Amino acid sequence: HSLQIGAAGPLVGKHLLEVKQGCRKALRHARTLPVGVLGVNRIGMEQTGLLLSARGDEVATALDEFNRGYLRATNRLAGLPEVRRYIASDADRQKAEPAVAAILNAWQAPDSNLRGIGILDASGTVVMGTEEPLAGQSLAFYDYVQEALRGSPVISNFHFAGRAIESVPTVAYVAPVKDAKGRVLGGVVLWVRAASLWKVLDDRNEKAGEKSFSVMFDQFGVRIAHSYSKEIVFHPGGRLDPWAVDAMVAGRRFGEKTREFLEAPREFPAQFDRARTASPDTQVFRGYAPVNQSWNLGVARRLKTVPWTLFYMIPERSLEAPIETLAERVALVAVVVIFFALLIGFAIARGILKPIAAVSKAAEALGKGDLRARSEVASGDEIGRLGLVFDATAERLEAMIESEKQTHMSLQAAVSEYTAFAEKAGSGDLTARLNTDAGHITGRLGLALNKMVESLSALAVPLKQSASVLASSSSEILATTTQVASSAAQTASAVSETTATVEEVKQTAQVASQKAKYVSESAQKVSQVSQTGRKSVEEAVQGMHRIQEQMDSIAQSIVRLSEHSQAIGELIATVNDLAEQSNLLAVNAAIEAAKAGEQGKGFAVVAQEVKSLAEQSRQATAQVRTILGDIQKATGAAVLATEQGSKAVEAGVRQSTQTGESIRLLAESIGEAAQAATQIAASSQQQMVGMDQVAQAMDNIKQASAQNVAGTRQAEAAARNLHELGQRLTELAAQYKV
């Protein structure tokens, strides 16, 4: 850089060194100035944090909705009556198998995300599934299966399929199957491919800037998803506790490679620590990523459906790229300055000292940043022309720098305008518009953003209308469902009271049946006694010498007959009361059946049958009472005949004949009484059968009422959820100003 030309050599060398130092200062100034002006400042960091937070919330919400959708599908499948009956009955399982298999195949066919569906019994064994190798396999060693069989729906962690199935990363959604009393009969499992969850992350890459991506960890600190690199999935973000590694190896979480994955961490302490804590910090953090081998900014979001932690990240160099671009442009200008400065230096070396000194001074001033510096060389030789060229170059350089300043100011104004526009649009004001002047530096971008906001505004109007209609409809549905639930509860209470009354009537009918049986047995005994008396009279006719002794026997028999007649009278009164109570019960039952409507028609038929049986019992009681009167009259006549026989033995034959005739009539009357008592017993038995039918019908009505109440409560809960959704949509739509 130093030249020796005649006597002026030392001076020329000195000026060239000054030119070189000035150019170096200009280059350093060009490299450091844009970073100081346009570097990532506090406001830029805040905007970056807001953007990362918004994208993190978006991805976490999408994952939660994915999980809720498949968990709802599992609950619906577990609630199907065909599935419940299939698990509950071993005897009918073979008959119901084709129908249940058709349901499972129809459920899986339209969904490519499903790897398979299985039905478990109470022990956790697969009794049916769309994957034949799993049939008969016990899955009770899985923690999520045990939890589901205890009665709670559950979502498993990422794991590999069992040995019978190819090693497919899977997430299991399990719901218990319960009977009407809430007892767990088994469970239903939906195995979903992990790739479908990974796609939720992959589709949202670069939403916060160039090379932005998503990572997800489970509660143990194991990396279960990465939207850019699948090679580090299933590797932890740090060293795991030995007991945790042993537990996952024992459960074969990742098949044969479980220990290989878990003992080879891809360390990222900032993510690993946040994933293992109970409540991760949601602020922006900085960490060195093992995938892109660079520093990244990110935010953490804990999912609501499972204890997984999502991280949305962006490399720092993606934020610095615009700054580097501008710095390169300024550096290029500085290189041009250096180039021309060197040319000027070499020209000075070949000229005279004064023009060289002038040009050197101007170049030094230009190198220090004084763009107004000029050489002002007026000679007409080569050095003069070089001075003119230098001055023209300085003017063009000044114009270029001025243009860059104007461009920078325009960019700053555009950034401010776009920031204000984004804040308005983000707060819901869709009436904001950008300057779309063709001469504007960002006119085309403004047109595109305005078009986007207009599209959002067009969508917001029907959204508001739909939200309003949904809120109104859900309110009406909720009110109707609440009223229906209240009515169903009242109906269930009335059915319970009626069932208790029917049980009391059934007990009364049992007592009546026992008493009717006792009446029948007593009538049979009386018939036997009458036969004995008739035989005694025949013997009296044959031997009058024994008439006195037989008269005493007849007198005693007649006394016992009178006692039995009194007992029969008491039983008849009891049966008559029972018939009246049964008639009253039948009337009450008919009234309750009319209140029950369609469900009480069967009960009304039973009540009519009870009333008919009560009427038959009343008629039979009247007949028995008439016959009993005849018996009592015959008994009085027999007593009178016995007294007369004792006073006059000579008239014994005639009196014995009369007594025989009376006893014959008595036997016939007692036979009729016995037949009537038998009819009463049969009627009481029929009444018992009818009461059993009434009790069974009331039990069925009670079960139906309980099911109706449960169904109505579910409908009320669904309507309440729909109402809340309508309110949230209305609130969201109200935030947009169109």
Side-chain angles (χ1 to χ4, degrees), residues 391-425:
D391 291 343
T393 302
E395 290 176 358
R396 287 197 296 271
L397 182 61
E398 182 180 9
M400 290 174 61
I401 297 299
E402 187 66 26
S403 177
E404 288 293 333
K405 288 183 179 180
Q406 295 296 328
T407 302
H408 177 64
M409 294 176 63
S410 298
L411 286 174
Q412 284 186 329
V415 169
S416 300
E417 183 181 357
Y418 283 1
T419 301
F421 172 78
E423 290 177 352
K424 290 182 179 180

Side-chain angles (χ1 to χ4, degrees), residues 228-251:
Y228 268 140
S229 176
K230 299 299 184 290
E231 288 78 10
I232 67 171
V233 175
F234 306 132
H235 291 276
R239 293 290 175 182
L240 298 179
D241 297 328
W243 63 266
V245 174
D246 293 339
M248 284 186 256
V249 170

Side-chain angles (χ1 to χ4, degrees), residues 503-519:
E503 187 64 28
E504 294 176 358
V505 173
K506 182 179 178 181
Q507 294 177 0
T508 305
Q510 288 178 348
V511 174
S513 178
Q514 293 174 359
K515 290 186 177 181
K517 185 176 180 182
Y518 178 72
V519 170

Side-chain angles (χ1 to χ4, degrees), residues 120-141:
L120 312 178
D121 61 11
S123 66
T125 301
V126 180
V127 294
M128 178 182 286
T130 58
E131 297 172 302
E132 294 183 0
L134 288 179
Q137 297 285 334
S138 176
L139 305 181
F141 62 90

Side-chain angles (χ1 to χ4, degrees), residues 340-544:
F340 282 106
L342 289 176
L343 290 178
I344 294 171
F346 283 116
I348 293 175
R350 292 192 301 267
I352 59 177
L353 180 60
K354 185 176 180 180
I356 292 175
V359 175
S360 175
K361 184 177 180 181
E364 183 178 0
L366 183 64
K368 292 179 179 180
D370 185 6
L371 301 178
R372 294 174 296 178
R374 299 292 185 270
S375 64
E376 298 180 354
V377 177
S379 62
D381 56 7
E382 288 81 359
I383 295 178
R385 289 194 297 272
L386 180 61
L388 294 175
V389 171
F390 177 80
D391 291 343
T393 302
E395 290 176 358
R396 287 197 296 271
L397 182 61
E398 182 180 9
M400 290 174 61
I401 297 299
E402 187 66 26
S403 177
E404 288 293 333
K405 288 183 179 180
Q406 295 296 328
T407 302
H408 177 64
M409 294 176 63
S410 298
L411 286 174
Q412 284 186 329
V415 169
S416 300
E417 183 181 357
Y418 283 1
T419 301
F421 172 78
E423 290 177 352
K424 290 182 179 180
S427 63
D429 185 4
L430 300 181
T431 60
R433 294 295 183 272
L434 288 170
N435 181 12
T436 57
D437 186 5
H440 198 269
I441 189 170
T442 56
R444 294 177 61 186
L445 179 60
L447 287 173
L449 291 176
N450 286 342
K451 186 175 181 181
M452 180 189 71
V453 172
E454 290 173 359
S455 300
L456 289 176
S457 178
L459 290 174
V461 173
L463 176 62
K464 284 187 175 182
Q465 297 174 353
S466 300
S468 177
V469 173
L470 178 59
S472 176
S473 301
S474 61
S475 299
E476 296 177 359
I477 292 173
L478 180 60
T480 304
T481 307
T482 303
Q483 184 177 3
V484 171
S486 177
S487 301
Q490 294 177 0
T491 302
S493 177
V495 169
S496 298
E497 295 176 358
T498 305
T499 303
T501 304
V502 169
E503 187 64 28
E504 294 176 358
V505 173
K506 182 179 178 181
Q507 294 177 0
T508 305
Q510 288 178 348
V511 174
S513 178
Q514 293 174 359
K515 290 186 177 181
K517 185 176 180 182
Y518 178 72
V519 170
S520 177
E521 292 175 353
S522 299
Q524 292 294 333
K525 291 179 181 179
V526 172
S527 178
Q528 293 175 3
V529 171
S530 67
Q531 293 296 331
T532 303
R534 183 175 180 181
K535 185 176 181 181
S536 298
V537 171
E538 292 176 354
E539 291 177 355
V541 174
Q542 294 175 1
M544 292 298 297

